[in-house]
Every structure is written in structure tokens, then in C-alpha cells.
Amino acid sequence: MVRFAVIGTNFITDNFMNAGSQCEGFKVQAVYSRSMEKAKEYAEKYGIEDCYDSLDALAAAKDIDAVYVASPNALHAGQSIKMLKAGKHVLCEKTIASNSGELEQMLKAAEENQVMVIEAMRSVFDPGFAAIQENLPKLGKIRRATFQYCQYSSRYDNFKKGIIENAFKPELSNGSLMDIGVYCVHPMVKLFGLPNEISAHCLKLSNGVDASGTIVAMYDEMQAELMYSKITNSALPSQIQGEEASMIITEIPDTTKIEIVYRNGDREEIKIDKKANNMYYEIEEFIRLAEAKESAQIHNQYSVLELKVMDEARKQMGIVFPADQ
């Protein structure tokens, strides 16, 4: 049994609770919110025993093994490090940190206190991504990958009314790249490694937040294009092109369908049997590692590469967070 505390009481935490309830060895012991009233309200909703409005008190709690961090990106590193130093494992929402420097500090705190921290990058833990990896050799030499995640945000409607919510606040290390572009970056580096160079461009809104962007990544023998947006929807799937066939992926953050189109015109559909809430798989792996006391390096190596790419992309796009100072 892994006894969790959750930091954050938004819809992401709701999804976590739903997925975790399907996992063996999962229990949520406590909830933290800056407001005790909100913490109690959330606890009542899910039958959670303990409520906290103090991070220090939460860190000191003896009946909590792990913490799920679902706060704004700018708070991830500080909150995670506090919990890691208290001897608690951490499952931290994407993007795991504001920059590479913060992630380095998080990984150091985990190692020094003999606990683990993992980025909750749900898309690469589930059977859909495993199917992409398994079938990649059918494509022959890979020449191009086009990953896209464009999802019109309901919060953008409020932005246009002058109501700026957290998702559109760069001071919280938020924006299109950090919110959803990461769903394109992480699979790229996990499948193909760190690119030799990138070229990054974005559209910014009136407050300087990036609303959409494109990253072109160059490798020795292939290139990748990453397209993401919070102000438009995309009607097209993602794709990996090889010299022998192309793989059509629906969707890259939550792959539910894969079709391989061979050069001779033959088509092969890859069936993916998976749970509707694909957060299940990251929680299942987190619990497995925690109970087996295994290292999370196998997963963290890709978060390191992800942030290297995103740091360089932000540098090129002129996106600077307070956390970078």
C-alpha cells in the first residue's frame, strides 16, 4: 500500500483520484490546499481522512509515503523538494519543473534522501505509446516525425474577456509549450533522443504568454516537427514517416489508434486495448517502483532531455519565467 497526499484540488487531481482508484495498493490519505476550507471540501468529496493547509505539516506527516503534486508549474520544484527532503516519493505533474536547473535540484534531493521523483507524463506510460515503440521497426529508416497537440482552451475564452487564469500566466511558468507542447517534446526525445539542434517559434498573446508554437528538431538522418496550440484545434493526427511505411497516430497525448500505411498501399491497423483514463498506467508504475524500491532513472532521463529542448526553445522564443532568474 502506498499512502498518497495530493497537492491541488483541480480537475487534474480529480482524474488522478479516478485513475488511482483502479490501481492496487493505492490510497489517498491526505489533501493539501492553501485554503483549509477547500481542503476539507475536497476531502469530503473523496472520503480523504486528513487535510492540510501547511506544506511543512504535510511534509512532517508520518502516515504519508508519497505526494502527487498538481500545482502550477512554478511551484513544482519547491513543493517537490520539500516533500523529497522529508523522505516522501513524488509524482509531479508535467511539466515537472520550470527549467533544467530546477529538475536537477529535484533529482539531487531524491537521490540524497533515497526516494524517487517521476514526471506524471501519462502519455508515455500507457499501452498506446508501447504500441508505437513496438511497431516502429516496420517503418524502416525513420526520416520524419510530426507530432501535434492543438486543443482550444476554454480558459482562452475567459482570456478574451480579460479574465486571466493560471494556464495563461507566464509568471506561473505556464503557457502553451509548458502546458501541452510538452506532450509532443517528451515522446520525441523518448523515441529519438536529444536532437542536434532545434528552431522554435511561437505566437504570443497580449500578456506575453505563448499561445501556440512550432519546434523543428534536426537529427543526423531525420527531422521532427512539433506543433501545439491552446487557441486552435487540430483535425489531423500525428505521424512518423519511414522509408518503408508511415505510422498514423491518434492522438499523441493519449494514443487510441495506430495505422501503418506501407509504401505499396497496404494498411495495418494496430488495436490498442487500454483504460479510458490513461493516468492509470503512470500511477501503476509509480506504485511498482515505490514498493520495489527501484530507481526512477529509466524514466527521469527523458524528463532531463525534455527540459533541455524546452529551455532552448524558450530561449529562442524569448519566453522567460521568474523561475529562470
Side-chain angles (χ1 to χ4, degrees):
M1 178 70 68
V2 176
R3 300 165 296 178
F4 283 87
V6 296
I7 293 179
T9 56
N10 55 27
F11 73 96
I12 296 293
T13 315
D14 288 335
N15 290 341
F16 173 80
M17 296 293 296
N18 172 270
S21 68
Q22 303 171 56
C23 297
E24 288 187 20
F26 175 89
K27 179 184 180 181
V28 175
Q29 179 69 33
V31 56
Y32 164 85
S33 174
R34 289 175 298 173
S35 160
M36 181 58 76
E37 183 180 354
K38 281 188 178 180
K40 288 181 177 179
E41 182 181 332
Y42 200 81
E44 185 175 347
K45 179 179 178 182
Y46 287 104
I48 300 171
E49 293 178 35
D50 302 326
C51 299
Y52 293 89
D53 61 359
S54 163
L55 286 171
D56 289 334
L58 176 61
K62 301 298 184 186
D63 56 354
I64 294 169
D65 307 305
V67 179
Y68 171 65
V69 177
S71 52
N73 293 331
L75 304 179
H76 285 179
Q79 293 177 343
S80 295
I81 290 170
K82 183 180 285 289
M83 298 304 149
L84 292 165
K85 286 183 175 180
K88 293 169 172 49
H89 302 299
V90 171
L91 178 62
C92 185
E93 260 308 327
K94 56 80 194 165
T95 296
I96 189 169
S98 298
N99 52 54
S100 295
E102 285 190 344
L103 177 56
E104 185 178 343
Q105 293 174 43
M106 293 164 72
L107 295 175
K108 182 181 178 182
E111 183 179 6
E112 288 178 348
N113 293 277
Q114 298 184 317
V115 286
M116 66 172 178
V117 57
I118 295 180
E119 183 172 25
M121 182 54 63
R122 58 186 173 87
S123 57
V124 298
F125 287 95
D126 86 356
F129 189 80
I132 293 173
Q133 292 178 300
E134 182 181 342
N135 289 278
L136 211 56
K138 296 177 180 178
L139 309 185
K141 183 181 285 293
I142 305 299
R143 292 303 194 181
R144 181 190 300 270
T146 304
F147 294 160
Q148 56 181 321
Y149 186 22
C150 302
Q151 186 177 69
Y152 187 95
S153 172
S154 60
R155 296 174 180 85
Y156 181 49
D157 290 332
N158 283 338
F159 185 95
K160 290 187 285 188
K161 297 173 186 175
I163 304 168
I164 314 300
E165 298 185 63
N166 285 353
F168 285 92
K169 289 183 177 179
E171 61 266 31
L172 294 178
S173 303
N174 279 340
S176 186
L177 174 61
M178 300 293 284
D179 189 15
I180 60 176
V182 66
Y183 281 118
C184 299
V185 175
H186 197 107
M188 179 187 75
V189 297
K190 186 162 185 178
L191 289 170
F192 308 115
L194 190 69
N196 297 329
E197 61 178 297
I198 68 165
S199 176
H201 304 274
C202 72
L203 293 176
K204 295 180 182 178
L205 299 179
S206 56
N207 69 336
V209 73
D210 61 308
S212 65
T214 302
I215 298 172
V216 176
M218 299 302 300
Y219 292 82
D220 287 341
E221 296 185 302
M222 64 162 283
Q223 67 183 47
E225 302 121 356
L226 313 179
M227 292 169 279
Y228 52 92
S229 174
K230 290 175 67 67
I231 58 173
T232 59
N233 283 328
S234 173
L236 298 176
S238 293
Q239 185 178 179
I240 302 174
Q241 297 177 10
E243 292 185 357
E244 303 302 323
S246 293
M247 177 185 289
I248 302 170
I249 303 165
T250 312
E251 306 261 346
I252 196 63
D254 187 358
T255 301
T256 55
K257 180 183 177 183
I258 293 174
E259 186 177 29
I260 298 176
V261 182
Y262 293 92
R263 218 174 56 222
N264 65 2
D266 289 347
R267 291 174 176 263
E268 178 187 3
E269 183 173 334
I270 310 298
K271 296 187 181 298
I272 301 169
D273 184 21
K274 58 188 278 187
K275 292 183 178 291
N277 184 342
N278 74 335
M279 290 180 77
Y280 167 87
Y281 301 100
E282 67 186 27
I283 300 169
E284 181 184 53
E285 173 66 357
F286 183 87
I287 291 173
R288 185 190 72 79
L289 290 174
E291 292 183 336
K293 297 182 179 179
E294 291 185 17
S295 168
Q297 171 59 20
I298 189 173
H299 304 300
N300 292 334
Q301 61 182 319
Y302 302 114
S303 295
V304 170
L305 299 183
E306 159 205 304
L307 275 169
K308 284 184 178 180
V309 171
M310 293 170 72
D311 284 354
E312 175 60 24
R314 287 199 297 113
K315 179 180 177 182
Q316 293 185 21
M317 294 185 289
I319 300 171
V320 181
F321 299 139
D324 298 327
Q325 305 305 317

